[in-house]
Amino acid sequence: EPVLRLSGVGKSFNGVTVLDDVSLEVPRGRFVALTGPSGAGKSTLLRLANGMHLPDRGTVSTLGEDPAACSRSRLRALRARVGFVFQQFGLVGRLSAMENVLMGALATLRLPRYGVMSYPRALRVRAVEQLDRVGLADQRFQRCDTLSGGQQQRVAVARTLLQSPELILADEPVASLDPAASVLVLDTLKRISTEDGISVLCSLHQVELALTTADQIVALRDGHLILNEPATTLTPAR
Ligand code: ADP
Ligand code: ADP
C-alpha cells in the first residue's frame, strides 16, 4: 500500500482546471520530487494530499485514508501523521529554535504552551535530538530571526520531525535559499527520509536539484502529469 495515491484526480478553481486526471503513487520511504513551472499545479497537488483541498474528480488516499471522507477529527488525526514544510518556513522569528521545534508537538498536545520548560521533559529531549539531526543542536537557544534561511528551514524540518510523520509534504522548501543552502536542506531531508523510512513529496522548480536528490521525478505541466520516472533512468551517470 503506497503512502499516498492519487487516482484520476481533477481540481478546478472558479471553472479553471488546475489539475486534470492526475494519477500518482508515493511508495513508503521514497523521496519523490514534484517538478514543473510556476502555476503547473504543484501546490494544489500537495494540498490535496493532506486534505487542505478536496478533489472535484477522482480519489486521494493518504496513509490509507480518503481525506474527502474524513470527519473533522479524523482529518486532524491524519494531518498529525503528515508533516508540511513551506517555502517561507512558518517559524516564529522572535522565539528560539528549540521553542519552534517544540511547536511541532502542539498538534498532538492540543494545549497552548508558554516557554520551553512548559513542555514535558521527554519532549524537550526529543526536540534537541531532532535539532541535532539537522545539525543545529548548538543553535537551539538562538532566536529564529537571527538564523540564516537555510538554518531556519532546517529548524522547520526538525519541527516536522517532532511529529514523527509518516509522510512529509514540502512545498518549494528551497525556493528562497541560495544554491549551497538548498543542497544542504535537501540532503538533510533525504538523509532523514532514508534513516526513518519517511516518504517525502517535495515540489522543486529546479530540475537539477530534483535529479541529484530524489528517487523518483514527477513533472506537472498545466495540470497534467507529463513524467513519472526513477531518477536513475533520467541520470544514468549518477
Ligand atoms: P504551482 O505550485 O505549480 O505554482 P499552484 O498549484 O499554486 O501551482 O497553482 C496552479 C494554478 O491554480 C495557478 O494558476 C493558480 O493561480 C491557481 N490556483 C491555486 N490555488 C487557487 C485558489 N485557491 N483559487 C483559485 N485559483 C487557484
Ligand atoms: P505558492 O507560493 O504556493 O505558489 P501562491 O502565491 O500561488 O502560492 O498562492 C498563495 C495562496 O493563494 C494559496 O492559498 C493559493 O491556493 C491561493 N491562490 C493562488 N492563486 C489564486 C487565485 N488565482 N485565486 C485565488 N486564490 C489563489
Side-chain angles (χ1 to χ4, degrees):
E1 174 79 0
V3 168
L4 175 67
R5 177 190 284 131
L6 279 73
S7 309
V9 165
K11 182 69 185 174
S12 307
F13 294 109
N14 315 316
V16 178
T17 301
V18 170
L19 289 177
D20 188 19
D21 196 22
V22 170
S23 296
L24 172 67
E25 291 189 357
V26 176
R28 193 164 291 278
R30 261 334 153 67
F31 194 119
V32 179
L34 184 58
T35 66
S38 182
K42 303 184 296 296
S43 295
T44 303
L45 193 157
L46 291 169
R47 289 176 182 148
L48 283 158
N50 80 342
M52 281 159 83
H53 286 322
L54 297 178
D56 300 325
R57 290 168 298 282
T59 55
V60 175
S61 169
T62 306
L63 304 173
E65 301 260 18
D66 174 358
C70 281
S71 64
R72 267 158 158 271
S73 65
R74 227 184 151 91
L75 192 57
R76 196 184 305 119
L78 176 61
R79 283 184 183 150
R81 300 164 64 200
V82 180
F84 214 108
V85 177
F86 306 92
Q87 178 180 339
Q88 294 307 332
F89 322 135
L91 303 174
V92 182
R94 66 188 163 74
L95 296 182
S96 68
M98 180 76 172
E99 284 170 288
N100 272 282
V101 171
L102 283 164
M103 284 179 180
L106 291 180
T108 41
L109 288 174
R110 299 186 62 192
L111 281 173
R113 300 274 159 168
Y114 303 97
V116 168
M117 297 310 283
S118 67
Y119 289 84
R121 179 181 149 76
L123 214 46
R124 282 183 271 135
V125 170
R126 281 192 51 225
V128 179
E129 281 169 4
Q130 300 314 322
L131 276 168
D132 191 37
R133 297 182 78 197
V134 302
L136 292 172
D138 292 344
Q139 283 81 9
R140 64 186 178 279
F141 300 118
Q142 224 170 299
R143 273 173 65 136
C144 279
D145 54 13
T146 68
L147 298 173
S148 71
Q151 289 175 324
Q152 290 187 52
Q153 191 59 291
R154 284 183 286 137
V155 172
V157 169
R159 179 183 55 188
T160 296
L161 291 175
L162 198 73
Q163 248 180 273
S164 304
E166 292 161 69
L167 168 66
I168 293 179
L169 304 170
D171 193 356
E172 295 280 0
V174 301
S176 63
L177 304 180
D178 64 51
S182 298
V183 168
L184 188 52
V185 165
L186 291 175
D187 283 353
T188 302
L189 257 180
K190 168 71 181 166
R191 172 173 48 78
I192 286 164
S193 151
T194 305
E195 285 171 3
D196 294 3
I198 301 173
S199 307
V200 177
L201 180 59
C202 176
S203 66
L204 290 169
H205 61 259
Q206 309 98 315
V207 176
E208 331 78 74
L209 286 177
L211 286 171
T212 51
T213 312
D215 303 312
Q216 188 86 9
I217 313 282
V218 172
L220 280 178
R221 181 175 296 164
D222 298 331
H224 295 275
L225 201 146
I226 57 165
L227 177 90
N228 186 1
E229 288 286 335
T232 48
T233 67
L234 299 170
T235 50
R238 187 166 79 154

